[in-house]
């Protein structure tokens, strides 16, 4: 039995690389889609001042907790698919590892909830809480891990794409990272909740595109 046959047999017995990459591509659409659906349907929630993370609190908080955790698991599956697909090639180590950090960060941010603030849920302080709990700090760490790692992953893949001559994809990766940095570094703190959504849109769209591109690359 040849090594190719063994590889194909192993793929059919387990989860295929394409299925793992498809899961990674779905992480962003799920996270933003379900998050925004709640933001516009949960009574009293104001996205212009209340970040999506606060949706983990309140009567239906379990929905956003599940959103964080499931999106994180999908990102981990996508990281496994990237590791299989890119093994031995440029970005084959750090690229999947950084996407895996995204997944871990999302799970941490979902399990460790932020403190009530910005008027959510009802009765919460209208601004930031006077003191932060340990789980709120943990939530912040998870969020920083998620978006920091994905922004760096954009640059790691840009280098890979340049080496492979895919200059358009390299430019897309660099611009995605740059957009995230600019959006998050913008000094207006009053717009942070909206900027978190916009920044997420850029980098999650990048992850979806790169995951689908990798599937197509494997099939040609």
């Amino acid at each position: 039995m040849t090594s190719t046959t063994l590889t194909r047999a192993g793929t059919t017995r387990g989860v295929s690389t394409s299925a793992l990459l498809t899961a990674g591509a779905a992480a962003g659409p799920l996270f933003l889609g379900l998050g925004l659906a709640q933001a516009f349907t949960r009574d009293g929630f104001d996205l212009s001042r209340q970040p999506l993370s606060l949706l983990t609190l309140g009567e239906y908080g379990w929905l956003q907790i599940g959103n964080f955790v499931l999106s994180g698991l999908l990102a981990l599956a996508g990281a496994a698919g990237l590791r299989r697909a890119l093994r031995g090639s440029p970005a084959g180590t750090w690229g999947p590892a950084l996407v895996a950090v995204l997944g871990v960060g999302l799970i941490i941010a979902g399990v460790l909830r932020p403190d009530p603030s910005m008027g959510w849920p009802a009765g919460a302080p209208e601004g930031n809480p006077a003191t932060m709990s340990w789980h709120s700090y943990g939530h912040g760490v998870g969020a920083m891990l998620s978006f920091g790692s994905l922004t760096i992953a954009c640059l790691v893949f840009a280098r890979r794409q340049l080496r492979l001559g895919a200059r358009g994809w390299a430019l897309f990766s660099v611009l995605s990272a740059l957009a995230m940095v600019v959006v998050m570094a913008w000094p207006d703190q009053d717009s942070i909740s909206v900027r978190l959504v916009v920044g997420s849109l850029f980098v999650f769209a990048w992850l979806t595109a790169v995951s689908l591109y990798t599937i197509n690359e494997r099939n040609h």
Side-chain angles (χ1 to χ4, degrees):
M1 184 179 290
T2 66
S3 59
T4 301
T5 305
L6 285 170
T7 300
R8 288 175 178 169
T11 300
T12 56
R13 284 196 299 267
V15 180
S16 71
T17 302
S18 292
L20 291 171
L21 290 168
T22 301
L30 172 68
F31 182 77
L32 287 173
L34 184 54
L36 290 173
Q38 293 178 79
F40 293 118
T41 57
R42 289 181 67 176
D43 188 35
F45 191 85
D46 182 1
L47 185 59
S48 69
R49 57 191 293 263
Q50 296 162 344
L52 293 179
S53 293
L54 290 179
L55 289 168
T56 59
L57 308 173
E59 183 180 1
Y60 297 102
W62 59 271
L63 277 172
Q64 186 67 347
I65 293 172
N67 189 21
F68 269 103
V69 173
L70 182 54
S71 298
L73 292 173
L74 289 173
L76 287 173
L82 287 170
R83 184 174 181 274
R84 284 189 192 176
L86 305 181
R87 184 181 288 115
S89 66
T93 298
W94 282 106
L98 287 164
V99 175
V101 173
L102 159 70
V104 172
L106 286 173
I107 293 170
I108 291 173
V111 173
L112 302 179
R113 299 186 295 172
D115 294 323
S117 61
M118 301 298 171
W120 184 268
E126 287 302 318
N128 291 314
T131 59
M132 289 179 60
S133 64
W134 65 269
H135 53 82
S136 188
Y137 279 112
H139 177 86
V141 169
M144 286 189 291
L145 284 174
S146 297
F147 298 114
S149 64
L150 196 51
T151 302
I152 297 170
C154 290
L155 300 177
V156 169
F157 274 88
R159 183 170 180 268
R160 164 188 168 80
Q161 291 151 353
L162 276 176
R163 291 180 64 178
L164 297 178
R167 295 187 177 183
W169 277 97
L171 179 61
F172 172 53
S173 296
V174 170
L175 290 177
S176 297
L178 182 61
M180 181 64 171
V181 171
V182 170
V183 166
M184 296 311 301
W186 200 261
D188 180 17
Q189 288 303 307
D190 292 337
S191 63
I192 184 64
S193 59
V194 174
R195 287 188 285 116
L196 281 168
V197 173
V198 174
S200 300
L201 180 62
F202 280 117
V203 290
F204 275 128
W206 173 86
L207 178 61
T208 296
V210 166
S211 298
L212 295 177
Y213 176 79
T214 304
I215 294 173
N216 185 64
E217 191 179 39
R218 282 173 51 80
N219 294 332
H220 291 85

